[in-house]
Amino acid sequence: MPEPLLVIENLHARVASGDKREILKGVNLTINKGEVHAIMGKNGSGKSTLAQVLAGRETYEVTEGSVTYMGKDLLELSAEERAREGVFLAFQYPVEIPGVSTSYFLRAAVNAVREHRGLPEISAPEFLKLVRDKMKLLHMDNSFMNRAVNEGFSGGEKKRNEIFQMAVMDPILALMDETDSGLDIDALKTVSYGANTLRSPERGILLVTHYQRMLNYIVPDYVHVMLDGRIVTSGDKSLALELEAKGYDWVEKEYAQPAGA
Amino acid sequence: MTQVAEEKDILVSTYAQMRETLDTPSTPWLDELRRAGMAHFEKVGFPSGREEAWRFTNVAPIARTKFTPGLGTITPVARDVAKQYSFGDKAAIELVFINGHFARELSKLDRLPGEAHVGTLADAFDADDQTVRNNIGRLVKLDTTPFTALNAGFVFDGAFIRLPRNTTIPAPIHLLFVSTAGADGQPTVCHPRVLILAEDNVEAAIVESYVGPEGAVYWTNAVTEVAIGKDSRIDHNKLQQESLRAFHTAAMHVHLDRGSYFISHNTTIGGRITRNDPSVKMAGEGAYAVLNGLVILDGEQHCDNHTLLDHFSPNCPSHELYKHVLDGKSSAVFKGQIYVHPEAQKTDSKQTSKSLLLSDSAEINSMPALEIYADDVKCTHGSTVGPVDQDMLFYLRSRGVGIDAAKHLLTYAFVADVTRRITVEPVRARIEDFMAAQHGLPQDLRITDLSDFDAEVL
């Protein structure tokens, strides 16, 4: 009997300021524990917005619908509370934070989650062991920890840092926003390998991607196609291949709603 | 108008009357310096907001406060403050001044290498020291600001540092200026003076600390003159941690000879109204000046830094980085003047001012002012002002760090960009202690101490 981890029902969201443009126009999606879902779509379809809304980004405003995560109303929680409850967003554009070392940043993150779970602060040796293991997993240099968060990192290094953080944080729901963009094939393999270690019957992964490429390495159980703020079709991994072969124009012809409908 | 003018005259004449009551060491040249200082101050008076250099700094609260001359008595309060801010064994030598008067029994007067001399101006005046006579008032003129004239008018003590050729001082020289209110809490004023003469090939770090007991009302009006010889390296730190009700005005002029290096770390974390006029003249070819500043204010504090990088000779680089963290209704002014004389070809000057506004009511006026009269130079300036970066904030929150902790961390990181450049450990520690107290960060998570990860892991 599948156990739902995340249930999204009729989710509508718009930009919170400025033109208040509606981006999500009724998304429905259920991710059960143990499943890997991929959302594909071309730029502007709303797939990255969905990932950010789920992570609690306040630049978007939910106007309708609901999101239930492990039986809780996810939309009631702040971004930090979601993270502490096990939601992790691997950013499409990781942020540089000059002056904050990666080791400080990670320790603060790990301890925030531990405090939430009623655990004491992680000890220095424990933290070092945890970090060292995950750095090996992602072929990362030790000097990484002393560098300011993402400062001066190449695009590939930033993405690897995201998956490294994900591995250290050990989330229950991993949201990966275009993690494959800007990666060469070796980095893509490393990052995918890191992400695959998170696959377990207790967790769920939502991949957002433009291309089918990464799905060769992180093989999804379900593939959904997003168009104009809605999921218009779903299938198994073969849908990604079909999409790759036919292109997004095919989706538009097949599923676009007539204006005014 | 008449009324205003009369008030101004009365306020100014108060100082002339105060001057007459003081019994201070006397030599003809010193008397002349004081007379000229008073005369100039009486002529120009307190600066008004109509003057360009004082447009954003209102000194009326200083002018209207009735001050009495601060006494050198070592009261229990003065002793406590001196102890609190002492560098202890971390200083090569530590001169403590109470309201401008040298306090021998609170000072640490160890021997310095070679012929290096760190003493008081009062002793030098008593001895009719000709080196002091020839150098005092040479770099900071009476008309630098009205307050430099007033300082000259009242000069009687301060620090005199003379570092002969080829001297290296291994630990910082600490000048600790403690100001206190009077016995009944009445506001006091003092005019500390520092004269630093470093000859050729000298290396030293000098720290001026300006402190006082919390809540005390007083005015510190300081003047520092620094002459640096060929190929010398001087690391100058000024840490202003005055009472939040105190006033602080100060001018520092530095003269650099050929191939010398001067770095200034000018930190303001105390005081109600602060005005600094640091100025460096690169007089010799290849001299290198760095002016770094950090201003952290809250409540109704105000700080105005008017800096000048004066490029007088060819091939001189200069770098300037001033950072402001402003909370509450605090306000700051940064005026960054770079003046490149026609002879100063191949000048390479870079100026940056960055301000973090932690409240909607905080205010910064950042004004670069470049005057360039040479044609083969590189001068750049940049200024940023804004609240905590929203993308950084969300990134931290998405990792579980609470919003307040995330804001504190980003503020700390903003400041660390300046503090990590400070090499005098007790100065950096004091700023970090202040940040930790203000932002509640645990001591063991100091950012600048986290460079030992490799050593720990490998």
Side-chain angles (χ1 to χ4, degrees):
Chain A
M1 180 71 189
E3 208 182 324
L5 177 61
L6 184 77
V7 181
I8 304 172
E9 287 177 302
N10 189 32
L11 185 66
H12 289 248
R14 65 184 183 190
V15 179
S17 60
D19 63 1
K20 304 219 166 198
R21 191 165 28 97
E22 186 170 54
I23 298 180
L24 300 183
K25 301 174 181 174
V27 175
N28 292 289
L29 176 67
T30 296
I31 299 178
N32 294 311
K33 286 186 176 174
E35 292 175 356
V36 175
H37 289 238
I39 294 189
M40 300 184 71
K42 65 180 206 178
N43 293 336
S45 60
K47 59 190 192 302
S48 281
T49 300
L50 176 62
Q52 298 208 33
V53 166
L54 293 176
R57 178 115 211 189
E58 284 154 356
T59 45
Y60 301 104
E61 187 177 38
V62 172
T63 52
E64 212 183 319
S66 67
V67 180
T68 310
Y69 166 71
M70 299 213 301
K72 290 179 193 141
D73 181 354
L74 187 73
L75 302 177
E76 282 295 304
L77 305 179
S78 65
E80 53 267 43
E81 286 167 335
R82 294 180 201 196
R84 292 169 195 166
E85 291 281 346
V87 177
F88 184 94
L89 171 65
F91 281 56
Q92 180 181 5
Y93 302 109
V95 181
E96 297 191 12
I97 310 184
V100 179
S101 72
T102 303
S103 86
Y104 181 97
F105 169 72
L106 263 185
R107 204 144 45 119
V110 168
N111 281 330
V113 174
R114 287 176 68 98
E115 190 188 350
H116 182 70
R117 292 180 186 162
L119 297 169
E121 284 198 352
I122 194 164
S123 70
E126 241 183 309
F127 178 71
L128 293 177
K129 185 181 180 320
L130 172 68
V131 163
R132 224 177 332 185
D133 288 352
K134 306 300 180 193
M135 283 201 296
K136 263 190 211 136
L137 186 71
L138 287 147
H139 306 297
M140 283 165 63
D141 193 85
N142 276 308
S143 65
F144 207 74
M145 293 300 286
N146 287 334
R147 293 170 65 185
V149 179
N150 291 321
E151 193 183 28
F153 286 23
S154 70
E157 281 180 318
K158 283 181 182 170
K159 292 300 175 71
R160 246 192 300 178
N161 192 12
E162 291 299 290
I163 303 309
F164 165 63
Q165 290 172 38
M166 186 166 101
V168 170
M169 300 288 288
D170 192 21
I172 296 164
L173 175 64
L175 310 166
M176 295 170 63
D177 188 4
E178 307 222 12
T179 301
D180 52 336
S181 67
L183 289 185
D184 63 29
I185 193 70
D186 289 335
L188 181 63
K189 280 183 185 169
T190 307
V191 159
S192 302
Y193 178 73
N196 278 325
T197 61
L198 278 180
R199 288 186 94 141
S200 84
E202 292 305 310
R203 297 198 186 88
I205 298 178
L206 179 63
L207 300 166
V208 168
T209 180
H210 190 100
Y211 303 104
Q212 183 269 340
R213 196 172 68 137
M214 185 167 64
L215 306 184
N216 290 330
Y217 301 99
I218 310 173
V219 181
D221 300 301
Y222 300 94
V223 173
H224 312 276
V225 180
M226 215 160 160
L227 176 69
D228 192 24
R230 286 183 196 88
I231 288 172
V232 290
T233 183
S234 301
D236 62 14
K237 62 184 177 186
S238 64
L239 178 59
L241 294 167
E242 190 179 0
L243 203 56
E244 186 87 346
K246 295 181 176 170
Y248 283 110
D249 287 351
W250 162 72
V251 181
E252 264 176 46
K253 276 194 206 108
E254 202 83 353
Y255 298 101
Q257 303 212 335
Chain B
M1 282 307 285
T2 323
Q3 210 181 335
V4 173
E6 273 172 14
E7 188 193 358
K8 195 176 163 183
D9 289 344
I10 292 165
L11 293 172
V12 169
S13 66
T14 315
Y15 288 89
Q17 287 157 20
M18 193 194 295
R19 171 68 262 167
E20 281 162 22
T21 65
L22 294 178
D23 176 27
T24 44
S26 167
T27 62
W29 57 269
L30 192 57
D31 291 343
E32 174 50 28
L33 176 66
R34 291 189 188 122
R35 192 204 56 74
M38 284 313 296
H40 189 80
F41 181 68
E42 283 178 67
K43 192 176 93 190
V44 296
F46 283 91
S48 97
R50 286 188 301 275
E51 294 167 51
E52 174 60 28
W54 297 89
R55 199 147 62 98
F56 298 107
T57 296
N58 177 14
V59 297
I62 305 178
R64 293 203 175 119
T65 302
K66 193 170 159 27
F67 296 102
T68 59
L71 303 177
T73 321
I74 302 173
T75 60
V77 170
R79 185 183 295 274
D80 284 352
V81 173
K83 198 175 161 193
Q84 185 189 345
Y85 293 99
S86 168
F87 286 178
D89 291 340
K90 286 174 182 160
I93 194 164
E94 186 171 74
L95 301 190
V96 178
F97 296 83
I98 307 294
N99 297 315
H101 302 257
F102 179 56
R104 190 172 300 273
E105 67 161 290
L106 299 179
S107 300
K108 175 179 179 266
L109 298 162
D110 292 1
R111 269 194 62 80
L112 289 172
E115 299 298 306
H117 170 82
V118 176
T120 68
L121 281 172
D123 285 345
F125 295 150
D126 278 342
D128 196 15
D129 187 310
Q130 294 305 299
T131 306
V132 169
R133 175 187 179 170
N134 293 336
N135 285 283
I136 198 160
R138 194 165 65 89
L139 298 177
V140 175
K141 308 290 186 200
L142 296 182
D143 61 355
T144 297
T145 74
F147 300 128
T148 60
L150 190 63
N151 177 286
F154 280 85
V155 64
F156 70 94
D157 201 358
F160 173 43
I161 299 175
R162 188 176 183 186
L163 304 172
R165 198 180 155 82
N166 300 329
T167 308
T168 296
I169 310 288
I173 295 167
H174 188 204
L175 309 177
L176 176 54
F177 294 95
V178 178
S179 290
T180 64
D184 303 322
Q186 72 268 34
T188 64
V189 58
C190 70
H191 307 271
R193 187 108 192 173
V194 176
L195 178 61
I196 300 168
L197 305 174
E199 295 178 0
D200 297 348
N201 196 31
V202 165
E203 194 164 339
I206 297 160
V207 182
E208 293 178 35
S209 294
Y210 293 90
V211 301
E214 204 36 76
V217 180
Y218 57 86
W219 175 20
T220 308
N221 177 38
V223 167
T224 298
E225 294 172 286
V226 189
I228 300 177
K230 297 181 187 70
D231 305 313
S232 288
R233 298 173 62 85
I234 299 295
D235 180 345
H236 184 270
N237 294 264
K238 172 176 170 177
L239 184 45
Q240 194 266 73
Q241 208 165 358
E242 307 271 31
S243 142
L244 294 176
R245 295 178 68 194
F247 306 110
H248 182 97
T249 50
M252 173 177 74
H253 278 221
V254 184
H255 185 274
L256 297 184
D257 207 337
R258 198 191 65 220
S260 61
Y261 172 74
F262 177 79
I263 180 165
S264 151
H265 297 284
N266 174 18
T267 307
T268 297
I269 52 185
R272 161 80 182 80
I273 296 174
T274 300
R275 166 66 179 240
N276 288 306
D277 285 79
S279 158
V280 182
K281 181 172 181 174
M282 283 150 274
E285 182 162 4
Y288 179 15
V290 178
L291 294 182
N292 289 338
L294 178 62
V295 176
I296 307 173
L297 306 177
D298 198 353
E300 301 200 346
Q301 286 178 280
H302 175 84
C303 175
D304 179 345
N305 285 307
H306 262 61
T307 70
L308 169 63
L309 285 162
D310 197 9
H311 282 265
F312 203 76
S313 283
N315 295 308
C316 294
S318 67
H319 286 98
E320 180 165 32
L321 172 64
Y322 265 71
K323 283 197 153 189
H324 313 84
V325 177
L326 306 176
D327 205 345
K329 291 180 179 171
S330 66
S331 53
V333 179
F334 171 72
K335 170 81 178 270
Q337 200 185 353
I338 300 172
Y339 194 102
V340 181
H341 293 258
E343 303 77 19
Q345 298 294 359
K346 305 283 182 192
T347 286
D348 184 355
S349 184
K350 186 179 180 208
Q351 178 189 91
T352 311
S353 152
K354 293 186 176 177
S355 304
L356 180 60
L357 302 182
L358 296 177
S359 94
D360 293 339
S361 317
E363 195 182 297
I364 171 85
N365 281 290
S366 180
M367 301 169 286
L370 277 55
E371 283 184 74
I372 300 169
Y373 300 100
D375 50 19
D376 185 13
V377 302
K378 203 165 91 184
C379 286
T380 64
H381 67 89
S383 176
T384 63
V385 179
V388 172
D389 185 285
Q390 294 301 304
D391 289 334
M392 293 185 196
L393 199 57
F394 178 63
Y395 195 63
L396 286 164
R397 294 177 69 197
S398 78
R399 300 302 183 249
V401 180
I403 186 162
D404 289 336
K407 278 184 185 167
H408 289 326
L409 180 57
L410 292 173
T411 304
Y412 206 74
F414 181 83
V415 167
D417 182 29
V418 179
T419 51
R420 69 185 171 83
R421 299 164 202 259
I422 297 174
T423 54
V424 178
E425 191 275 327
V427 173
R428 206 174 60 223
R430 285 242 301 270
I431 299 169
E432 293 199 329
D433 285 347
F434 173 83
M435 285 297 293
Q438 200 178 45
H439 292 284
L441 289 168
Q443 294 286 327
D444 66 318
L445 291 181
R446 287 178 172 194
I447 292 160
T448 49
D449 289 349
L450 283 171
S451 55
D452 51 0
F453 189 82
D454 276 324
E456 240 178 293
V457 179
L458 301 172

